[in-house]
Every structure is written in structure tokens, then in C-alpha cells.
Amino acid sequence: MSLNNAPAKPPGADTKPPTRAERKARLLAELEQQRVDILVDSDQLLRAASPLDSNWQRFKIPAYVIGGLAALRLVRHPRGALAGGRKVLAGYMLYRKLKLLAKVAT
């Protein structure tokens, strides 16, 4: 067999595979970079969400009051709440069917 017909070796084929310590160091560096990325992204998320959080504070107490009144009504008149729940469920099911029908019609 001639040397000209030998398959070409991919570049870097003569180099040795990385040792266990080198792989560990590379993985640790990658983990550290991921941690830094998470910290940067979480800081960016907190800055972006801060207006929403401050606005939520205005609605928190009214939401608790409305929820408490709804719970009180549910305790005092459970049949009315169950009937309302059935109507909401029926409305949701109707919405899904209409959405499916519109999808088939187009």
C-alpha cells in the first residue's frame, strides 16, 4: 500500500486526549462561567421586574379583600359557587370547541 492512498488524519489527531485534571479544570471553569451568567441574568430580571413588583404592592390588599369576600360567600352559599363553577367550566369547554371549529373551518 502506498502512502499517497492513506486516509488523511484529522487535524489534532496526533495530540493526546486531555487528562482528567485538565477536563476537571475546564468543567469547573465552565461551571463558574455559568454561575456568573446566572447572577447577571438574575440581576437583569430583578431590575426589569421591579416596576411590576412595586405596582403589585398597590393591588395586594384589595386582592386579599376580594379573595376573602369570595371565600366567605363560598362558605355561606356553597351551591351558588358550585353552580358558578359549572358555568365557568361549560364556558371554557364551549370556547375550546369553538376554537377547534374555527381551526377546522380555516
Side-chain angles (χ1 to χ4, degrees), residues 84-100:
R86 281 194 298 268
K87 288 178 183 177
V88 168
L89 181 62
Y92 173 70
M93 291 172 63
L94 180 64
Y95 168 74
R96 282 186 39 197
K97 291 293 180 182
L98 290 174
K99 188 175 170 184
L100 181 64

Side-chain angles (χ1 to χ4, degrees), residues 10-40:
D14 292 335
T15 61
K16 295 179 183 177
T19 65
R20 183 179 175 127
E22 292 170 342
R23 285 188 318 209
K24 182 178 178 180
R26 187 183 43 143
L27 288 173
L28 287 173
E30 187 177 331
L31 283 173
E32 184 64 29
Q33 183 60 45
Q34 288 175 355
R35 288 184 186 125
V36 169
D37 291 342
I38 289 172
L39 286 172
V40 169

